[in-house]
Amino acid sequence: MNAPKAKKIKKILEIHGDTRVDDYFWMNERENPEVTEYLNLENAYCDLIMKETEAFQQQLFDEMKARYKEDDQSLPYFFNKYWFIVRFEKGKEYPVFSRKFQTLENKEEILLDVNILAEGEKFFEVGSVAVSPDNRLMSFSSDNIGRRIYTISFKNLETGEVFGDQITNTTGKAVWANDNRHVFYTRKDENLRAFQIYRHELGTDCEKDVLVFHEEDETFDVSLFKTKSLEYIFIASSSSVSDEMRFIPANDVSAEWTLVQPRTDDLEYSVEHYGDEFYIITNADGATNFKIVKTKVSNPGIENWVEVIPHRKETLLEGFEIFKDYLVLEERTEGLLHIKIIENHTGNSHYLKFSDPTYTAYISLNLEFDTAKLRFGYTSLTKPSSTLEYDMKEETTMILKEHEVLGGKFFAENYISERVWAPSRDGKNSIPISIVYHKDTKKSAETPLLIYGYGSYGHTVDASFSNVRLSILDRGFIYAIAHIRGGEYLGREWYENGKMLQKKNTFYDFIDAAKYLIAENYTSEKHLYAMGGSAGGLLMGAVINYEPQLFNGIVAQVPFVDVVTTMLDETIPLTTGEFDEWGNPKKKKYYDYMKSYSPYDNVEAKNYPNMLITTGLHDSQVQYWEPAKWTAKLRELKTDDNLLLFKTDMSAGHGGASGRFESLKEDALEYAFILKLENKIDGK
């Protein structure tokens, strides 16, 4: 079987006096049988080329799965008279949601067995589960396609009856009013933008639900939440750079919604409630790395905001948690996360202590106000994820749950983690890189190294443990995370300098990080591999256009590569909300800049590295046709004999396969591809 060759239908795209020719534009016809045929041919070709690795993929899958405890369960959490638990049963793919009244010794009550709901479905995902304040009713949402469009259903927990109320086309989240009769939920428009908030009364016709808010600005999304105090329900309307929040008392569903602060360009804020005050984290008044203010509920506008935690140039304030006697901050300084405890009455403060050179620490679920116990999470490249309880009064820590790595082969002391800093080409910045490898792996030009990157939306890829990753670490790979601009690893400015008209800094940082690892003898071009997904897939596409010889292999997962065409089409899901991230190409300066790096528009007749490209047919974030077109154009123009494989999951969306272990098959394919290039297929 030869590599598939897609047909070409010339499509002229013109704007700003510039002409682009897209011969594969026809692939966006989702219902076209020829599109399905092409995707199936590519899948068959991928399967053929990887056929020699089938047994090895199964071996990888089996060893990955064997590290997980199949009958595992979440750490029980007590709230509103019940202990809530999410657990998995051996041999089953989906979770079981349950609760126990008052004590863990009481009989388990199953709220939802997702395995039953998922029977006969190729894809199934539960979006959220929410119990009513009186503990008698429950809402739950589900998606059986993979496009993140959820249907909300309701269940009587006393009788087990599932009501006839079925609310379709939602984001999945339902917020209960305190009357136990009404819920609020968010609908999506035809472009999958969350744009309307409705109120539903149980037992009534869903078609007659009350519209309470309509977000008309297409660059804004809306969402819902209930405050930790359970006293207020909030509607949050947000763009990439602006927020607007309004609220009602949770006891009065018909109350008028009160604005906290009207939207203003570049003003971001979010709200939590305590007593007669709102605590607000915001970038107001030039607080680039955010600060915390408070204001009376009765007068919430910005003119009444009183500073509680000031802005600090060197520290990014990522979040906070309010307790009766304590305020807990989640901060990031020089890339590393810190948790700070402040005693409200005295102002005394201290930090939790962490010892790994690179790690992740975060405030966990804390629903109680009147307690001195803080739950937080911790993980590093060498330590599995743990949930811990810190006594803020006694300053003592207790491990509540540590994820087990089964199989008897993992010992944390066998792995080494580092954090190094690569000089950037601008001479002004250094790029942090988190690294992990087995203690028996020697750094050399012959050592294979996989470097991962993302670098968009201010999302930071922190150093965390991965059961799956052990399969390459134990086979002699070094693994690295490049904390490039476009993320917030070094603060908000690190993000701002990697977006819009400075987006290329993201790509340059990744290339400079890779070159540094080669220069420091961690690896060489012949053994260097890169991986990224979604906007990280855009990163992969850009860096191989700039420096294709730098990598031996690339894995691009659900890659966003046809940037210009997608951002010009406002009918494509999520496009309008992305203008503050990438720019609006209907304005010439953004069009020109975007076109200069867009991976699809810059494919050339030259050698490219070995590549594995993946997507999901029902992907709502990055449409399948972007990687499909990119693959076809690469096949047409590339001048090398390196592997180019394209795999479409015909029943999944942006997040890949549903089920707890099915996604491991995707990991096994990706690792088998890289290990094949390294001639490290076991038993070969």
Side-chain angles (χ1 to χ4, degrees):
M1 180 181 178
N2 294 322
K5 186 176 181 180
K7 74 174 184 179
K8 297 167 66 173
I9 301 175
K10 191 173 184 179
K11 174 77 171 179
I12 304 296
L13 302 169
E14 293 182 298
I15 189 173
H16 304 305
D18 183 64
T19 299
R20 292 180 299 136
V21 178
D22 187 350
D23 292 326
Y24 304 107
F25 190 88
W26 64 272
M27 288 189 184
N28 69 356
E29 299 170 9
R30 187 182 298 274
E31 305 303 323
N32 186 339
E34 291 184 280
V35 172
T36 304
E37 181 185 10
Y38 173 70
L39 297 179
N40 285 331
L41 282 172
E42 286 286 2
N43 281 350
Y45 180 70
C46 179
D47 291 343
L48 178 68
I49 298 301
M50 295 297 290
K51 189 170 183 60
E52 66 169 331
T53 72
E54 282 182 356
F56 182 48
Q57 287 183 54
Q58 185 63 46
Q59 178 186 332
L60 287 170
F61 172 79
D62 290 342
E63 71 182 44
M64 291 172 182
K65 184 178 178 181
R67 296 190 190 108
Y68 289 88
K69 186 178 180 183
E70 287 197 56
D71 56 349
D72 201 7
Q73 70 172 39
S74 67
L75 183 65
Y77 197 93
F78 189 75
F79 177 70
N80 193 20
K81 302 179 183 178
Y82 282 86
W83 288 95
F84 290 89
I85 303 164
V86 181
R87 61 177 176 80
F88 290 90
E89 296 178 351
K90 190 171 183 178
K92 296 184 179 180
E93 284 283 336
Y94 296 93
V96 176
F97 294 84
S98 66
R99 67 180 181 179
K100 295 182 179 181
F101 182 64
Q102 293 291 6
T103 73
L104 290 170
E105 287 69 40
N106 276 334
K107 182 181 177 182
E108 177 190 57
E109 177 188 351
I110 293 178
L111 303 175
L112 199 67
D113 186 339
V114 184
N115 297 284
I116 296 173
L117 296 176
E119 286 179 4
E121 301 282 0
K122 292 182 179 179
F123 179 96
F124 196 85
E125 181 181 62
V126 166
S128 69
V129 174
V131 176
S132 62
D134 65 2
N135 290 310
R136 295 175 51 250
L137 307 170
M138 180 183 74
S139 67
F140 63 95
S141 60
S142 59
D143 169 19
N144 63 353
I145 295 176
R147 284 184 69 76
R148 300 182 180 178
I149 305 172
Y150 296 90
T151 296
I152 298 174
S153 304
F154 300 90
K155 182 178 180 180
N156 185 321
L157 296 178
E158 295 179 335
T159 66
E161 175 193 2
V162 176
F163 299 144
D165 311 47
Q166 296 272 309
I167 306 173
T168 59
N169 192 34
T170 79
T171 61
K173 184 175 182 179
V175 174
W176 286 89
N178 289 348
D179 64 6
N180 304 293
R181 287 178 30 239
H182 293 89
V183 295
F184 293 87
Y185 64 91
T186 310
R187 280 202 185 276
K188 293 188 171 186
D189 66 14
E190 59 185 6
N191 298 327
L192 305 188
R193 178 177 71 95
F195 79 125
Q196 290 178 330
I197 304 295
Y198 279 86
R199 184 179 75 233
H200 173 71
E201 183 175 2
L202 263 68
T204 65
D205 185 351
C206 299
E207 297 298 320
K208 297 180 180 178
D209 287 352
V210 178
L211 175 65
V212 297
F213 181 72
H214 182 161
E215 178 51 72
E216 296 183 353
D217 189 331
E218 292 185 346
T219 66
F220 279 71
D221 289 343
V222 293
S223 60
L224 281 162
F225 68 93
K226 200 173 192 178
T227 57
K228 181 176 177 178
S229 66
L230 308 179
E231 292 185 32
Y232 294 98
I233 295 172
F234 270 81
I235 295 174
S237 195
S238 302
S239 71
S240 297
V241 296
S242 180
D243 296 299
E244 181 178 79
M245 296 198 171
R246 43 183 44 82
F247 64 95
I248 59 169
N251 291 328
D252 186 1
V253 299
S254 59
E256 289 292 320
W257 292 82
T258 302
L259 263 177
V260 174
Q261 171 61 29
R263 67 189 67 181
T264 306
D265 287 346
D266 300 318
L267 173 65
E268 299 175 63
Y269 70 93
S270 61
V271 183
E272 188 51 270
H273 169 244
Y274 177 57
D276 62 350
E277 295 177 316
F278 287 141
Y279 279 66
I280 301 171
I281 185 169
T282 180
N283 67 348
D285 304 316
T288 308
N289 280 333
F290 294 87
K291 63 181 180 179
I292 294 177
V293 299
K294 66 179 181 179
T295 185
K296 295 294 183 182
V297 172
S298 56
N299 293 292
I302 193 170
E303 66 277 5
N304 300 307
W305 293 2
V306 178
E307 191 172 272
V308 177
I309 302 295
H311 171 258
R312 290 157 292 170
K313 185 177 181 181
E314 73 285 354
T315 298
L316 174 66
L317 186 56
E318 293 208 338
F320 68 97
E321 191 77 47
I322 303 173
F323 295 89
K324 179 175 179 290
D325 297 319
Y326 301 92
L327 177 63
V328 181
L329 307 182
E330 191 174 292
E331 304 176 346
R332 187 185 296 274
T333 302
E334 293 185 352
L336 296 181
L337 286 156
H338 302 279
I339 296 177
K340 184 178 184 179
I341 314 296
I342 303 172
E343 189 175 17
N344 291 337
H345 299 303
T346 65
N348 293 336
S349 65
H350 63 278
Y351 285 92
L352 275 60
K353 294 180 174 63
F354 308 119
S355 58
D356 288 287
T358 182
Y359 60 86
T360 302
Y362 54 91
I363 299 170
S364 187
L365 184 65
N366 292 272
L367 299 178
E368 291 186 68
F369 266 119
D370 192 5
T371 179
K373 305 291 178 65
L374 167 75
R375 279 194 179 184
F376 71 97
Y378 182 84
T379 180
S380 74
L381 292 171
T382 62
K383 291 185 177 65
S385 178
S386 298
T387 302
L388 303 97
E389 185 175 85
Y390 181 71
D391 190 312
M392 294 181 281
K393 183 178 180 181
E394 301 298 328
E395 300 187 17
T396 57
T397 303
M398 176 173 63
I399 297 177
L400 298 179
K401 180 179 175 62
E402 183 175 34
H403 285 276
E404 298 179 65
V405 182
L406 302 185
K409 297 179 180 179
F410 171 74
F411 301 96
E413 59 269 22
N414 287 339
Y415 301 87
I416 298 169
S417 68
E418 304 175 3
R419 190 171 65 145
V420 298
W421 299 76
S424 66
R425 66 187 63 193
D426 60 20
K428 301 175 183 177
N429 296 283
S430 294
I431 306 142
I433 310 171
S434 295
I435 300 171
V436 64
Y437 51 92
H438 194 281
K439 68 178 183 181
D440 294 336
T441 299
K442 307 300 180 187
K443 303 171 190 174
S444 76
E446 300 302 312
T447 303
L449 187 148
L450 174 60
I451 181 170
Y452 184 88
Y454 186 77
S456 293
Y457 303 106
H459 174 70
T460 299
V461 181
D462 280 307
S464 59
F465 186 80
S466 167
N467 273 359
V468 169
R469 191 185 302 140
L470 295 174
S471 289
I472 55 169
L473 297 183
D474 291 348
R475 289 175 170 85
F477 268 74
I478 297 173
Y479 181 85
I481 303 168
H483 304 291
I484 51 184
R485 278 176 281 188
E488 285 188 342
Y489 191 80
L490 294 180
R492 186 70 173 190
E493 190 176 353
W494 198 244
Y495 166 46
E496 298 291 344
N497 288 334
K499 63 185 284 196
M500 303 284 276
L501 297 175
Q502 299 187 79
K503 187 64 207 169
K504 290 181 183 178
N505 285 334
T506 300
F507 317 137
Y508 297 152
D509 282 359
F510 192 81
I511 291 168
D512 293 345
K515 288 183 173 180
Y516 172 83
L517 293 172
I518 292 172
E520 293 297 310
N521 204 39
Y522 282 85
T523 189
S524 62
E525 291 180 355
K526 289 195 300 183
H527 298 283
L528 180 61
Y529 302 87
M531 180 184 288
S534 196
L538 161 65
L539 170 67
M540 297 298 104
V543 300
I544 62 168
N545 279 335
Y546 287 128
E547 305 233 16
Q549 81 294 336
L550 190 57
F551 306 94
N552 187 40
I554 294 284
V555 176
Q557 306 153 319
V558 293
F560 172 42
V561 285
D562 192 11
V563 186
V564 178
T565 303
T566 291
M567 293 304 297
L568 280 169
D569 187 351
E570 296 182 14
T571 68
I572 292 176
L574 308 181
T575 293
T576 54
E578 309 260 298
F579 290 150
D580 291 324
E581 178 71 24
W582 311 100
N584 186 346
K586 289 181 180 177
K587 298 178 180 178
K588 189 175 187 302
K589 67 176 180 177
Y590 293 112
Y591 173 85
D592 290 342
Y593 188 78
M594 205 176 287
K595 184 185 174 187
S596 72
Y597 70 73
S598 173
Y600 181 66
D601 291 290
N602 288 282
V603 174
E604 297 175 324
K606 62 185 178 186
N607 289 354
Y608 282 92
N610 297 284
M611 297 182 66
L612 171 63
I613 302 167
T614 65
T615 191
L617 181 63
H618 303 295
D619 196 324
S620 59
Q621 313 295 110
V622 179
Q623 307 303 308
Y624 72 87
W625 59 75
E626 293 200 36
K629 290 166 54 177
W630 187 41
T631 301
K633 192 171 183 180
L634 282 164
R635 286 210 190 286
E636 176 193 352
L637 295 178
K638 76 188 191 80
T639 55
D640 58 82
D641 294 322
N642 290 331
L643 295 180
L644 174 57
L645 305 180
F646 176 43
K647 185 76 170 180
T648 302
D649 188 325
M650 303 299 281
S651 61
H654 196 64
S658 64
R660 189 181 180 203
F661 296 118
E662 277 299 304
S663 63
L664 295 180
K665 293 178 181 176
E666 299 166 12
D667 297 318
L669 172 65
E670 293 166 358
Y671 281 3
F673 172 75
I674 295 170
L675 289 160
K676 172 182 167 71
L677 297 175
E678 279 293 311
N679 293 311
K680 286 180 176 286
I681 300 175
D682 294 7
K684 181 178 178 182

